[in-house]
Amino acid sequence: MTGDDRLEGLRAAVELSPDNHALRLVLAESLREAGETAAALTEFERVLDAGALPRDEAVEVGTAAAHAGRLQFAARCLDLARNAGVVGGTAGLEDLLTTLLADSGAVQRADGPEPDTHVARRVSVAEEACTFADVGGLDDVKRAIHRTIVLPYQRPDLFEQYGRRAGGGVLLFGPPGCGKTLLARATAGECGAPFLNLRIEDVLDPYFGVSEQRLHLGFDEARAAAPCVLFLDEIDTLAFARRHQRSAGVGRAMVDQLLQELDAIGANNDGLLVLGATNVPWDVDDALQRPGRFDRVIFVPPPDAEARRRILDIALRERPTAGIDVDALAERTPMFSGADLCAVVERAVDAAIDEALTSADEVPVSQRHVDAAMRTARATTLEWLRTARNYTEFANESGRYDEVRAYLDQREMRKLLRR
Amino acid sequence: MSSLELVEHLLGVGRPQDALRELERLGPDEAGTIVALYLRGYAHLNTGQADAAVHDAQAGLQAAPDDIALLYLLSVAQAERGDLAAAEAAILSALGHAADDADLLAQYARILMRAGELEKAGRVLATARASAPGSQDVLRCHIDLAYLRGDTAEAEGLTHLLLAEDAESARGHQMLGAIALERGDLPAAEQRLGEAVRLEPVHDEVADTARAARILQRPYYWPVRFFNRFGAAPTWVAAICLIVGLRAAGLELAAGLFGTTWLIVCAWSWAAGSRLEHQLR
């Protein structure tokens, strides 16, 4: 059998079983050996998409992709290699990527300092715009964000008259799964500003001083892109309260660095809105919540009925349904987070599938299945709300959490939180 | 950065669920390493899955039977499951490799305290203190031991020592709050327990006690304070003795008046107690 015949055979086999990633990997390797680099990279990318690219191949494939000008693919290979702990070749691939990115000018900005490409890859500008229209319900929160964040961007002249400038630090907090990240993206969309996302995975490095340096570079890039929104999701992982940290390790140093970036001695934070989000504001270092840093806090409560209806609509979309009263279900699920609602839908779908398997007919998801799913469903936000009640009751001397206290003091809430 | 470093960081910042999610993403080679098993066990322990933590520790010990960290984890997880004998066996194995390790000795003392062997726990802690005089873990164990022995004065003194070293120790404030509550010093109890809640708001029972300390300071609750301070049984015995004594002394009217007052106080305390429970809910 010639090499061409073998390749044809492999192609045919992959066409027949497109989900056989091991086979696709063999095809990709054979194509590479045959010198068909472009076709090989396409196959390797599919294997990578399926999460089946062996880690020991990541650097080699990434290097080939970088040379072929497929920088994004190469960056993904580099991420895979780093996450898998591959040491050999990652630094070389990173250097190659840095050089190629700089040559392409993709990360340079005309009006700012040349950003470090190392972090530019990590802090990416959101590709798709998202606005408040994409966030169902939560009207009070949207109004608060509009007043405190969006308007200073849209009417800087007016706010400057009152000594207010766009930017600063705002902390979104609330139970998990309730749309803080989506709200942050929508805020950036409303401001018409680029959205830069800096996560703990992008910053953390075991080597002494490197994590702080990465954090600094992330902020530098955001300053160069200003006006923009720098989003620090799960900010407690970056700025975990120093009182809980026994050793003077990387955690403490990161808090110090973050404070320095926010205070911006020797740096200009004008137009830079630092938006933090956390489920555990009580674990965020106190120093971060002082004036000039994250001095505005916005509570993002569990979705209201309107938001729940929209979440349910989305979760049920593209599923065969019959006679589900979504409005009633939204009313029956107070304090359910988005994830809780999706879990209810998934359980109902599972029940419908079980029924379909026994009856050999297509059984649409019906109200009956939803009712059965609701019998075991619980709002996971209640535990968070109880903790929040404890905290706001005993640690709200400054009145920062008055908003969440008022929310928890509602008669309906008190009833729900009763054990 | 490797995933294991991220997992370690997530555990350090109190996010064991996220750490478990990260661990699930590891490849089979990395997931089977001793470090990964240790971190998984620790994450399971912190999410209340002691059985899974025991499983992880045992899996790690198959590859490294003398690993002290894994033996310590196994001991803590077994104690969490309530299997004190297995917890003791694991910690004794660890101590066989590092007899003077203060952390191991403190864990052994905790097991002994849970088993009610306070004298032996005291001896173990004395060894631990000699080995690491500045260990906060050992100091915390000493505080618990003093409290369990009923020596609140010693517990209080040691807790002040702990707070001098770490002013934001939730456990220290909680201990002082509990001692103040026992003494009937409600404002101090509220202040200390409130501080403990501020530092660690996840503990509902501490928050409820702090709330109770706050509510009980209102004048309406004086009969409840009275019973709490002296205990229901001794107060009842004292009241009945007084009534019988007055009657024996021929002071029928005084005994009747006292008896009626006593009944009113009891009814009041019952109503106030119910209201307190309602308010706490």
Side-chain angles (χ1 to χ4, degrees):
Chain A
M1 187 189 266
T2 66
D4 284 349
D5 288 342
R6 186 168 180 269
L7 280 177
E8 281 313 309
L10 277 169
R11 278 197 180 104
V14 167
E15 260 180 37
L16 277 173
S17 8
D19 292 330
N20 188 336
H21 306 303
L23 195 61
R24 194 180 288 282
L25 186 63
V26 174
L27 171 63
E29 285 166 348
S30 303
L31 284 166
R32 183 174 58 189
E33 279 166 26
E36 292 185 42
T37 311
L41 286 174
T42 306
E43 297 303 333
F44 274 124
E45 193 163 14
R46 285 185 186 166
V47 177
L48 178 67
D49 289 342
L53 185 67
R55 60 183 189 172
D56 53 354
E57 291 227 27
V59 172
E60 197 182 340
V61 173
T63 308
H67 283 304
R70 296 172 68 167
L71 302 186
Q72 210 171 3
F73 176 32
R76 288 176 62 206
C77 290
L78 177 60
D79 275 342
L80 172 70
R82 288 178 72 95
N83 289 337
V86 176
V87 179
T90 49
L93 176 54
E94 192 162 350
D95 285 345
L96 176 64
L97 264 172
T98 306
T99 311
L100 291 171
L101 278 167
D103 288 349
S104 72
V107 293
Q108 290 180 357
R109 287 173 192 277
D111 56 349
E114 187 179 321
D116 185 290
T117 49
H118 185 77
V119 179
R121 183 169 52 76
R122 295 163 193 284
V123 183
S124 56
V125 176
E127 284 169 6
E128 57 207 70
C130 165
T131 64
F132 282 161
D134 299 305
V135 183
L138 298 174
D139 290 335
D140 290 343
V141 180
K142 285 193 264 188
R143 261 195 298 276
I145 293 177
H146 190 258
R147 191 182 59 246
T148 55
I149 303 173
V150 181
L151 270 180
Y153 268 95
Q154 291 175 339
R155 297 283 312 278
D157 49 330
L158 174 72
F159 278 77
E160 263 170 34
Q161 282 176 15
Y162 290 93
R164 279 262 188 94
R165 284 182 302 178
V170 177
L171 184 66
L172 300 176
F173 74 99
C178 292
K180 291 185 289 296
T181 307
L182 182 63
L183 265 172
R185 281 188 179 279
T187 304
E190 291 288 325
C191 294
F195 183 85
L196 309 178
N197 190 356
L198 192 61
R199 300 165 307 159
I200 182 70
E201 296 95 303
D202 306 325
V203 173
L204 199 65
D205 193 284
Y207 293 103
F208 183 75
V210 178
S211 301
E212 299 91 282
Q213 193 186 12
R214 285 187 176 178
L215 192 59
H216 174 66
L217 289 171
F219 267 83
D220 261 1
E221 186 175 344
R223 286 183 195 112
C228 78
V229 176
L230 177 62
F231 183 49
L232 307 175
D233 202 1
E234 314 283 12
I235 194 172
D236 50 293
T237 59
L238 278 167
F240 191 59
R242 283 170 291 185
R243 64 169 183 268
H244 292 316
Q245 301 184 34
R246 287 191 186 169
S247 62
V250 67
R252 277 173 175 265
M254 269 205 293
V255 179
D256 294 339
Q257 185 64 39
L258 192 53
L259 291 172
Q260 208 171 319
E261 297 300 334
L262 291 168
D263 288 339
I265 297 166
N268 184 3
N269 277 352
D270 280 353
L272 174 62
L273 171 68
V274 186
L275 207 52
T278 181
N279 308 331
V280 279
W282 39 85
D283 279 345
V284 175
D285 198 89
D286 291 338
L288 232 74
Q289 303 185 41
R290 293 200 186 117
R293 293 158 185 169
F294 286 97
D295 45 9
R296 285 167 284 175
V297 289
I298 294 175
F299 173 52
V300 182
D304 52 23
E306 165 61 18
R308 292 197 297 274
R309 195 185 55 74
R310 274 194 71 172
I311 293 166
L312 287 166
D313 276 339
I314 292 166
L316 288 165
R317 194 189 293 161
E318 293 173 11
R319 318 239 196 193
T321 58
I324 297 179
D325 188 345
V326 175
D327 289 336
L329 185 56
E331 291 299 328
R332 280 170 63 194
T333 48
M335 298 305 126
F336 275 53
S337 70
D340 296 337
L341 292 168
C342 288
V344 169
V345 170
E346 287 308 318
R347 272 202 287 267
V349 168
D350 284 346
I353 290 172
D354 286 346
E355 215 174 297
L357 285 172
T358 49
S359 68
D361 283 330
E362 187 180 300
V363 179
V365 184
S366 67
Q367 187 65 41
R368 184 166 47 84
H369 299 120
V370 172
D371 288 342
M374 277 299 292
R375 265 177 231 133
T376 51
R378 293 283 175 277
T380 56
T381 60
L382 292 178
E383 193 184 336
W384 186 94
L385 291 166
R386 282 195 192 103
T387 303
R389 184 182 59 178
N390 294 343
Y391 187 68
T392 55
E393 202 173 323
F394 294 98
N396 190 33
E397 294 91 353
S398 62
R400 282 171 68 84
Y401 297 100
D402 283 349
E403 197 188 352
V404 65
R405 275 218 81 173
Y407 179 82
L408 294 168
D409 275 346
Q410 293 172 90
R411 192 185 172 83
E412 198 64 22
M413 278 304 306
R414 288 209 307 267
K415 220 157 76 181
L416 280 165
L417 291 180
R418 239 174 239 167
R419 286 184 292 276
Chain B
M1 178 198 58
S2 91
S3 300
L4 287 179
E5 276 139 13
L6 179 60
V7 169
E8 206 173 336
H9 180 76
L10 289 170
L11 284 171
V13 298
R15 287 183 163 265
Q17 291 285 9
D18 293 336
L20 280 175
R21 263 194 293 278
E22 273 306 313
L23 283 162
E24 276 168 22
R25 290 185 198 154
L26 293 180
D29 291 350
E30 207 172 7
T33 60
I34 289 172
V35 178
L37 285 167
Y38 174 73
L39 293 175
R40 181 177 284 111
Y42 191 53
H44 276 135
L45 194 62
N46 284 324
T47 49
Q49 301 174 71
D51 288 343
V54 167
H55 181 263
D56 295 325
Q58 284 170 340
L61 286 166
Q62 276 182 357
D66 299 336
D67 191 293
I68 291 172
L70 282 170
L71 285 167
Y72 180 85
L73 171 68
L74 180 63
S75 172
V76 176
Q78 294 284 23
E80 196 68 26
R81 287 175 67 220
D83 190 345
L84 295 182
E88 185 182 24
I91 206 68
L92 286 175
S93 293
L95 282 165
H97 301 290
D100 294 332
D101 188 303
D103 290 336
L104 299 180
L105 288 165
Q107 167 61 10
Y108 189 29
R110 274 191 287 270
I111 295 166
L112 292 169
M113 280 190 272
R114 276 191 63 180
E117 295 185 44
L118 301 187
E119 287 307 315
K120 195 172 174 185
R123 286 198 297 276
V124 171
L125 277 177
T127 312
R129 194 146 69 169
S131 161
S135 164
Q136 281 197 13
D137 198 22
V138 176
L139 182 56
R140 277 192 288 267
C141 278
H142 256 288
I143 293 168
D144 290 344
L145 182 64
Y147 192 73
L148 283 173
R149 279 177 175 156
D151 190 346
T152 47
E154 191 192 356
E156 191 175 13
L158 290 169
T159 308
H160 281 298
L161 251 177
L162 175 70
L163 288 171
E165 284 177 27
D166 176 11
E168 299 207 299
S169 161
R171 206 158 146 199
H173 288 289
Q174 191 186 330
M175 177 58 75
L176 289 185
I179 292 170
L181 206 58
E182 276 183 20
R183 288 191 184 133
D185 186 352
L186 292 173
E190 184 199 344
Q191 192 256 324
R192 289 292 185 182
L193 293 169
E195 185 64 7
V197 176
R198 184 184 75 80
L199 294 164
E200 278 179 15
V202 290
H203 301 303
D204 284 339
E205 65 285 0
V206 182
D208 280 346
T209 316
R211 273 185 204 108
R214 175 187 290 168
I215 295 169
L216 281 171
Q217 290 174 56
R218 296 175 194 162
Y220 174 78
Y221 292 99
W222 76 264
V224 183
R225 287 202 298 272
F226 183 73
F227 279 110
N228 279 357
R229 178 74 184 87
F230 300 106
T235 318
W236 264 100
V237 170
I240 288 165
C241 287
L242 190 62
I243 291 167
V244 171
L246 286 171
R247 282 174 67 93
L251 299 168
E252 297 279 336
L253 184 63
L257 278 174
F258 180 79
T260 310
T261 311
W262 178 246
L263 279 178
I264 291 168
V265 167
C266 289
W268 189 344
S269 76
W270 177 79
S274 303
R275 188 168 163 192
L276 175 67
E277 267 181 36
H278 177 75
Q279 290 203 320
L280 284 177
R281 273 191 285 125

